[in-house]
Amino acid sequence: MNKAFAFALLPVAALALSACTLSPTAAEYDKAAADMIKNSFQDRGIAKVDRLAQDDANRECAAADVARKPIDPAIAKAIEAANMKTVKWPSDGKFIGDWKSGEAIAQSGRGLTWTDTAGTPNGGNCYNCHQISKEEISFGTLGPSLYNYGKLRGVTDPNSAGGKAIVEYTWGKLWNSRAYNACSQMPRVGHMGILNEKQLKDVMALLLDPASPVNK
């Protein structure tokens, strides 16, 4: 190889080496992570890989979390508005069920796993994140305490006009928490079909019925 030709190849070699040392872009990292996760799961029973699909709220909130900065306020408002439209109010206009059944739902973490069947009643698993009744001493602290939930908010009769605002807010929050907080980590138990209307009414009673141990 003559010297002139060798010197001509130097810029090409330098460019090739620099390309090898370039770090992947954020988009490439995201795709690699998504592919790895997707390849690590498979359909098993009622648990399907479509659970890995992200909606706009999940994508935007995850991106903000990775960037370690709050989500853009305009995007947050848009997410909340879109999720508010998904809230379905009780078909018969009644919000309050049986608090005893609500306590059982709050205690139960069953449902939606590959070992369950489509007809298995889902639990709310509420104690995993919240203190609720004083009698239960095993509870998570990821979410705020809900003990005295109705009492602290002045709900003496959840069926009265005076309690209407708190009752409707509580229903909406349970149905789709992201209607009120764009990046809420609380499961959207109504919107995602985790709990049905009757179950939601029973959990509402647990939180708001003055006879519930939560409000004692």
Side-chain angles (χ1 to χ4, degrees), residues 37 48-56 58-59 188 192:
I37 293 171
K48 310 296 185 184
V49 293
D50 60 6
R51 294 183 183 183
L52 299 175
Q54 290 185 316
D55 61 13
D56 290 340
N58 287 332
R59 279 190 294 272
R188 296 175 279 180
M192 301 304 292

Side-chain angles (χ1 to χ4, degrees), residues 1-32:
M1 180 184 299
N2 63 52
K3 291 183 178 180
F5 183 67
F7 280 117
L9 286 177
L10 285 176
V12 177
L15 182 62
L17 287 171
S18 66
C20 292
T21 60
L22 288 177
S23 297
T25 65
E28 289 170 333
Y29 274 126
D30 289 344
K31 184 180 185 304

Side-chain angles (χ1 to χ4, degrees), residues 105 120-123 171 175 189-203:
I105 293 166
T120 302
N122 297 324
W171 180 274
W175 188 275
V189 295
H191 178 55
M192 301 304 292
I194 298 171
L195 299 181
N196 61 35
E197 183 176 300
K198 181 186 180 302
Q199 289 177 307
L200 279 170
K201 289 182 179 183
D202 292 341
V203 174

